[in-house]
Amino acid sequence: MELRQLMYFIEVAKHNSITKAAEHLHISQPALSKSIMSLENELGTNLMIRSNKTSHLTDAGNVVLEYAQKMTALVDEMQLTLSDLTNLSIGQLNIGLPPFIGSLFFPQVMAKFHRAYPNIKMDITEYGGARVVKSVEEGEFELGVAVLPLDEQIFNVYPIVEEEMKLIVHQSHPLATRQEVNIKDLKDEEFIFYHEEFALNEIIRNHFFIIAGFEPNILFKSSQWDLMSEMVAANLGLTILPQSICERLLAKDIEILSLKPTVMWRLAVITKKGRYLSNAGRTFIEFILNERL
């Protein structure tokens, strides 16, 4: 068994497609298929169910994927450690960012960081918040940015942002004349909400709506804050967005209201406890903690 085979297998599992994985890896589809089949033969079991367009993991495939991710993460960690010890290569950072967060705060931060440390390269991947957390835990990313709260027995947490969430309503809505709305008053409303892959979906639903005694009536789900606000402007429902996003809204015909109890949006840079953190990673964390986002 070769490490390359495991890396190829991880890529196929990520894309659920040998064709797409081959394109991403810049190798031919037959070569990738041969590598996966060789791995299956060596392990003596089928790792995926193949169809014309997709490939889905079997139960055995899920087990192999879990161990393959751990093994490749250890190799990455070894390379980082050796790089820092020998100082033979420039810095490299693999960062996971939720789209909401990346578009809000990080373009200017990344520009400042690059000017200060031009030899540190950054590989940024946008995932939903829940997937960022999982990927940091599994070792795909050295660090990520996530919404709190998180299990601090698993992660090192470096808080960077704390602000209020706001309720967005159409200007003709009966609530639009208020300055503050109690969450209990939203029981019969229809919502434009976050997809399940976003941490805010679970946090707002469980920590606020469920505690208030009801399930939110979700009409649409989206991963784009501008689309969510435009849907409210079209009078399709209500939504809840962070203060900093509200300040950037271009949609007309909406009102921005405070919530009671206050719903806070707290962001942090996270790393996995017990995993080696490179000089580049430590430098970035120190840099961003000194920035005012």
Side-chain angles (χ1 to χ4, degrees), residues 72-133:
T72 55
L74 283 172
V75 171
D76 290 342
E77 184 175 334
M78 177 189 69
Q79 291 173 337
L80 281 172
T81 306
L82 290 174
S83 174
D84 283 350
L85 282 174
T86 60
N87 198 28
L88 292 176
S89 64
I90 62 176
Q92 173 75 34
L93 271 179
N94 294 314
I95 304 173
L97 283 179
F100 267 50
I101 298 168
S103 62
L104 276 176
F105 303 113
F106 278 81
Q108 291 185 351
V109 170
M110 296 301 185
K112 289 181 181 179
F113 183 77
H114 178 66
R115 287 194 292 267
Y117 303 96
N119 290 326
I120 295 180
K121 295 184 178 180
M122 292 177 285
D123 185 0
I124 301 170
T125 304
E126 284 194 320
Y127 285 160
R131 187 173 175 186
V132 167
V133 172

